[in-house]
Amino acid sequence: MDTNKGYVAFVGAGPGDIGLITDKGMECLRKADVVLYDRLANPRLLRYTKNECAFIYCGKLPNNHIMRQEKINQTLMEESLKGKYVVRLKGGDPSVFGRVGEEAEAIATYNIPFEIVPGITSSIAASSYAGIPVTHRDYSTSFTIRTGHKCKKNEELVCEPKQEAIGETLAYYMGVQGLPTICKQLLSQGYSGDTMAAVIEWGTLGKQRVVEGTLSTIAEKVTAAEIKNPALTIVGDVIKLRSSIAWFEKKPFYQRKLIVAKSSSEESSLERYFTNNGAEAYAFPALKAIPHSYTKEELQLIMDTDRLIIASKEGIDILFSQLFMAGYDIRDFPRRIEYMSDKTRQELEKRGLRCARAHFDDSSAVLIGDRWLLTESTFSDNQRVLPSHTIEIDTRYQEINERLLTEDNWETVIFPNKRSIDIFLQEWNKYSDRDPKEMSFAAIGQSVKKYALLMGFKRIDEQVQQELDKKEWMRDHEWMQLYTLDMAAL
Ligand code: SAH
């Protein structure tokens, strides 16, 4: 690879559910210096990039104009010519109505090396999530992908069904506005008014909605349900299977819209758990850990202490890598190491260190961890605080927060700890005019619940609260399965 010229990876982000991106796509994201992403690529995927990676939104510019294709091509070219690894992240598959042909051609003209990483296209994925297999031995042996968009300008392009295709599966992308025209044309070309049709909005995400009807009724039903883009129209007998295999809609939290308040830079296991159970969940705000560079003297002080207390999980990586680089070995570590949370304990145990839970008394100790957390607490004079990092709001997510917090009608906020409540209240108003306390809430542990009530939240979301109390969500964390769970420590 000619590194001077940089590199462009056109990556299919998959249809929405972040688990549906490929491994290869994920690898590209981890390497990226810049990501140019579309509205339909799930922005949660950007969390897997490096801290220094820049994000460029190609949906709308701040002045609300769609970023023009030439401008996108030009940015791809400019960024890669600076020697950067550029990811062009596109919803679904880049080659299916994704303009990858145009963009790759532009890049090829400059001899910039590139690759195209396929993704699962939304028609197939959304159909599967709606309980509609696109082919079936009894109902359909062909599957046709079409655009419903061209119908406004060029009616012939929409429908040219060959007689033999009738009864088989059709998928229309970008077809919400043009739906009445699509139906009319299919009817005029011999399709029966009873032919089944389904429209899937935001397929594969917790906010997915499906409207089912026939070619005579679907357009009206879609208008009544106020279905908007992105949505797909599927036509064909395979829709019959929905009544028996629509699995995603049966998930207990399907269509529930939940914000998970955050207080650390780690991936939220609550967001993952509720998403896997059918919810539209969004961990907010995005936080990043800014590491502190310890001096030689500080590292020596840490090594010399009789008792090292580690206050947060992120601090372990930061401390251990710096100690290793400075020539220390794990066998030089203080004999007594204590942790303040179960997440920290797990991280230590992964490294083979069996530690004790911290008990606060006046005896001497060195404390490391997140600066904010440590300055909140009071310590005695012989306890030395050496923060390993500072947690900061990740400002790269501004555009994403603006979009996601206003696009959806969030119902409930989940608070994992007290600090998450403070951060949430401080950040929410930057993005939404809505009083956050109108939302219902759920919390982990009694003290957090009390604090939320004190801060003005009123209504508990019983369904979510019960789920949290069951503690099942912790079992999603493979490492946690080994333990008797101690909620007080969270
Ligand atoms: N490259 C994309 C398609 C881009 S065209 C792919 O392979 O899926 C944009 C259209 O894709 C939208 O108008 C809508 O019809 C469809 N689409 C994309 N994501 C979708 C989703 N999650 N649910 C429903 N339709 C979706």
Side-chain angles (χ1 to χ4, degrees), residues 15 40 91-93 96-98 121-122 173-174 200 202-203 229-232:
L40 294 181
D93 181 275
V96 179
F97 304 126
T121 192
S122 55
Y173 289 65
M174 302 169 278
I200 310 162
W202 285 117
N229 256 322
L232 284 149

Side-chain angles (χ1 to χ4, degrees), residues 70-318:
E70 306 88 78
K71 174 86 177 133
I72 296 175
N73 296 356
Q74 191 194 339
T75 314
L76 285 173
M77 183 265 288
E78 283 171 5
E79 292 293 328
S80 53
L81 286 179
K82 284 182 206 160
K84 293 189 178 165
Y85 189 105
V86 183
V87 166
R88 175 75 175 105
L89 190 66
K90 288 169 168 289
D93 181 275
S95 306
V96 179
F97 304 126
R99 294 194 166 198
V100 78
E102 297 162 51
E103 294 179 20
E105 246 187 331
I107 290 306
T109 350
Y110 289 91
N111 284 325
I112 299 163
F114 67 91
E115 70 185 306
I116 302 177
V117 181
I120 305 180
T121 192
S122 55
S123 58
I124 297 175
S127 298
S128 292
Y129 272 53
I132 304 167
V134 292
T135 69
H136 185 286
R137 276 207 295 182
D138 298 338
Y139 303 112
S140 161
T141 52
S142 82
F143 170 54
T144 307
I145 282 176
R146 295 192 169 149
T147 168
H149 188 57
K150 288 266 164 61
C151 58
K152 279 190 287 179
K153 289 189 203 136
N154 184 352
E155 305 238 324
E156 296 113 73
L157 267 179
V158 187
C159 297
E160 54 216 6
K162 298 177 193 93
Q163 207 55 33
E164 66 267 25
I166 290 180
E168 312 224 320
T169 312
L170 310 174
Y172 289 91
Y173 289 65
M174 302 169 278
V176 182
Q177 273 180 310
L179 188 58
T181 318
I182 293 169
C183 294
K184 221 168 70 196
Q185 293 205 339
L186 287 171
L187 292 171
S188 74
Q189 279 156 9
Y191 274 74
S192 139
D194 295 335
T195 309
M196 294 185 84
V199 172
I200 310 162
E201 180 191 58
W202 285 117
T204 78
L205 289 163
K207 57 182 166 180
Q208 170 180 305
R209 292 197 296 161
V210 185
V211 173
E212 220 182 303
T214 62
L215 284 182
S216 330
T217 62
I218 194 76
E220 216 169 283
K221 286 185 171 183
V222 160
T223 311
E226 295 183 25
I227 296 284
K228 306 226 159 52
N229 256 322
L232 284 149
T233 302
I234 310 291
V235 177
D237 289 343
V238 280
I239 297 169
K240 286 187 182 140
L241 287 149
R242 234 179 90 67
S243 57
S244 49
I245 63 166
W247 60 275
F248 187 56
E249 289 151 54
K250 295 206 175 72
K251 295 238 173 201
F253 287 87
Y254 176 62
Q255 289 188 334
R256 296 293 327 269
K257 293 177 177 161
L258 316 174
I259 300 259
V260 180
K262 288 207 74 186
S263 66
S264 84
S265 62
E266 293 152 31
E267 193 189 344
S268 163
S269 36
L270 284 166
E271 183 196 64
R272 181 180 284 259
Y273 179 80
F274 283 102
T275 302
N276 287 342
N277 280 287
E280 180 66 22
Y282 182 53
F284 168 82
L287 299 169
K288 60 179 173 189
I290 311 291
H292 167 73
S293 294
Y294 286 116
T295 61
K296 256 176 152 176
E297 291 70 32
E298 285 174 330
L299 290 177
Q300 194 57 49
L301 214 88
I302 292 169
M303 285 290 131
D304 288 345
T305 182
D306 296 329
R307 183 176 170 222
L308 176 65
I309 301 176
I310 303 184
S312 46
K313 183 185 158 196
E314 294 112 319
I316 299 174
D317 251 348
I318 297 165

